[in-house]
Amino acid sequence: MEASAEPVLYHKLQIWEPSMELEEEEEEERSELLVTGPGRPQDAPGVGGLPGAWARLVAALLLLAVSCSLAIRQLQSRGSAGGSLGSAAPPASGHSHHTGVYHHSAIISPAATCSHLGQRLLVAGGNVVDAGVGVALCLAVVHPHTTGLGAMFWGLFHNSSSGNSTALTSGPAQTLAPGLGLPAALPALHLLHTRFGHLPWPRLLMDSASLAQEGFIIDAHLANALAAQGTKGLCPLLCHADGTPLGFGAQATNPKLASVLHRAALAPTPDLSGNALLSLLVRDLGLEEPSARPMPTLEPALWLSIPQGILFTTPSPSAGPELLALLEAALHSRTPSPDPCPPLLQTAMTPVSSILATVDSSGSMLLLISSLNSSFGSGHLSPSTGVLLSNLVDRSATSAWACPLILSSSLDDTETDVLGLVASGAPNMARTMTHALLSHLSEPQAQTQHQHQAQQEPTENPSSCSQGTSLQVAAHAEHVFVSSVPKGCCPFQGF
């Protein structure tokens, strides 16, 4: 991606008002009375016109005071228009938006702390990849039940400059030991950032490292997972001194993870930081260092042409191919309305995963989904690294939980409308995503502009099947739109 420019702030110009001109005229009239009134010094006989010189000096000072007053008023009006980035309050001009609508860019994730971090990266001049990678690292700290440095990642990046979409894969699932997956997060995220990011790599790690070192607040998602899971294998990281789990609102720290992130930020190459992490992990486990290494890749996204545009998704072994096959069959059957919601599979084990999305007004967007497979993964907390390893092995070799989807209304037009969908927690992800897209395409406004519906206040769609969590981001008419189902499940930030 081309390096993004520094953020531009648009300031409000002072609106001309008749009262301003009248004020200036009144000041000028007062000045003229001082220098041209009856008995003015230049008409009087005498020495050198000295009183007239004093009068002109007084008039000049008065005019200077008026100019300063006008300048101060102009600066105040500018400050009121441009002083609040990302604020929900409407600007002084009266131009306002619904919730979840922004001019420049936005980020949505399951954790408010991480969405704020992503916003700071965007304001600092980062692009959607910088923000997405930074938020993914933040979630590795504050949501260890769903993601982390031991997780497997899938991603889908749409580049508005070229119109191309690229898929991120973590490569095949590999193991350190039976039931313990090889950590692949840092190599995968670094590869994505190296190709498409803009900010320096260390900048994306340091905020999350500080969060792990200084402490983070246990949110409702993590508190509920701890209450359901118990603390076996998770102490002392997520426990009180008596072994009971930390509750909602408690503060936790992970100094060992902070140290790993600091090393990754300062390492001259990602291989060195990855090797250092592996060395610590195998020492904790009492194993020999494996010859296998993570093999993340960046590949052209799978695509399917439909009447409404071009669909992009991730390749095998994700659920992307199954998703496109289901969508193609449904659209060719000429049934514009979606099928009823897919039935819940009570016997199916639904992998626990984490999702996020970033988008800018040009139409560039990044969808990321990661998983430890089970809640808290293997349940094995490495004492030297603060990392929870996944159990994404054997039966989880096919990532049926991953099929992010992007719909671009045109391949040729780089200023086209773009829609992104990513979901987690559904028993059959491909069928759930198929239903979500068909529901969207069946809406009347989607016939002409598939982003137009995002201009309305986001509402929970009753046809969304109530399975898991889904995020939607869109770019349309130089604005970005973010929403989620269930509504309010995932905080978003933008500017």
Side-chain angles (χ1 to χ4, degrees):
M1 169 180 286
E2 298 178 359
S4 64
E6 291 294 320
V8 179
L9 300 181
Y10 295 92
H11 299 292
K12 177 186 174 186
L13 296 176
Q14 184 174 6
I15 299 175
W16 176 86
E17 296 177 356
S19 59
M20 293 170 56
E21 184 174 307
L22 290 175
E23 289 173 5
E24 293 180 9
E25 292 176 354
E26 289 172 3
E27 295 293 346
E28 291 173 0
E29 290 174 1
R30 295 190 193 106
S31 301
E32 289 172 359
L33 289 174
L34 288 172
V35 298
T36 60
R40 53 195 175 192
Q42 54 266 45
D43 290 342
V47 180
L50 183 60
W54 280 106
R56 287 192 294 274
L57 176 61
V58 172
L61 291 173
L62 285 172
L63 289 173
L64 178 62
V66 171
S67 300
C68 290
S69 175
L70 290 173
I72 291 171
R73 290 169 62 183
Q74 179 75 1
L75 289 173
Q76 289 174 340
S77 68
R78 287 183 178 183
S80 65
S84 179
L85 278 179
S87 172
S93 64
H95 183 67
S96 61
H97 293 123
H98 289 297
T99 302
V101 183
Y102 300 94
H103 270 294
H104 187 280
S105 48
I107 176 84
I108 183 167
S109 82
T113 298
C114 299
S115 293
H116 278 288
L117 185 150
Q119 182 197 39
R120 292 197 298 272
L121 292 173
L122 292 170
V123 173
N127 57 27
V128 295
V129 171
D130 296 318
V133 169
V135 170
L137 292 166
C138 175
L139 290 170
V141 175
V142 305
H143 276 184
H145 60 299
T146 60
T147 186
L149 298 192
M152 176 177 280
F153 274 80
W154 285 90
L156 191 60
F157 169 62
H158 182 74
N159 188 337
S160 63
S161 299
S162 64
N164 295 328
S165 289
T166 303
L168 169 71
T169 84
S170 290
Q174 302 181 78
T175 62
L176 279 172
L180 298 176
L182 186 72
L186 280 176
L189 294 175
H190 187 271
L191 176 64
L192 179 66
H193 172 264
T194 299
R195 180 75 65 86
F196 299 114
H198 172 62
L199 295 176
W201 171 245
R203 174 70 176 84
L204 308 186
L205 290 138
M206 297 311 293
D207 285 342
S208 295
S210 297
L211 193 62
Q213 183 69 46
E214 298 168 8
F216 58 95
I217 302 300
I218 304 291
D219 65 12
H221 297 289
L222 179 53
N224 292 338
L226 281 168
Q229 176 82 8
T231 59
K232 183 179 179 181
L234 303 178
C235 294
L237 176 62
L238 299 171
C239 309
H240 293 291
D242 61 1
T244 57
L246 296 178
F248 174 70
Q251 187 174 47
T253 61
N254 194 340
K256 297 298 184 181
L257 179 58
S259 179
V260 169
L261 292 172
H262 274 293
R263 287 196 202 101
L266 300 176
T269 67
D271 289 339
L272 288 178
S273 62
N275 291 339
L277 175 59
L278 275 178
S279 296
L280 291 171
L281 289 171
V282 297
R283 187 182 70 186
D284 284 348
L285 295 168
L287 302 171
E288 294 185 3
E289 189 161 325
S291 58
R293 287 293 186 271
M295 296 184 292
T297 64
L298 289 171
E299 306 175 16
L302 296 184
W303 62 274
L304 173 68
S305 179
I306 64 173
Q308 294 85 354
I310 308 295
L311 291 170
F312 297 98
T313 190
T314 46
S316 178
S318 77
E322 179 188 0
L323 170 62
L324 291 189
L326 289 170
L327 285 169
E328 186 173 23
L331 292 170
H332 285 177
S333 67
R334 299 182 180 180
T335 54
S337 298
D339 294 332
C341 289
L344 287 171
L345 304 178
Q346 301 296 341
T347 59
M349 186 273 182
T350 303
V352 176
S353 55
S354 178
I355 53 178
L356 67 92
T358 64
V359 60
D360 69 25
S361 57
S362 74
S364 289
M365 64 175 57
L366 174 66
L367 311 177
L368 280 176
I369 180 167
S370 58
S371 180
L372 295 167
N373 196 40
S374 305
S375 183
F376 296 102
S378 64
H380 180 90
L381 177 66
S382 164
S384 298
T385 65
V387 172
L388 279 161
L389 296 173
S390 75
N391 55 352
L392 280 165
V393 294
D394 298 330
R395 58 187 170 79
S396 53
T398 300
S399 302
W401 43 273
C403 53
L405 183 68
I406 288 175
L407 171 60
S408 174
S409 60
S410 171
L411 264 183
D412 301 324
D413 184 2
T414 58
E415 296 183 359
T416 186
D417 293 342
V418 185
L419 169 74
L421 295 169
V422 61
S424 67
N428 191 318
M429 186 60 67
R431 290 188 178 277
T432 299
M433 289 286 287
T434 298
H435 184 275
L437 183 66
L438 292 178
S439 296
H440 174 79
L441 295 178
S442 68
E443 296 171 1
Q445 57 269 45
Q447 301 300 322
T448 54
Q449 292 177 330
H450 61 73
Q451 261 63 54
H452 183 69
Q453 59 107 28
Q455 296 183 46
Q456 307 303 318
E457 190 86 19
T459 56
E460 185 168 347
N461 185 349
S463 67
S464 59
C465 302
S466 299
Q467 295 183 13
T469 300
S470 64
L471 308 180
Q472 175 177 307
V473 294
H476 168 70
E478 298 183 348
H479 287 70
V480 298
F481 310 86
V482 291
S483 60
S484 65
V485 176
K487 182 182 177 182
C489 71
C490 300
F492 46 80
Q493 293 291 326
F495 77 101

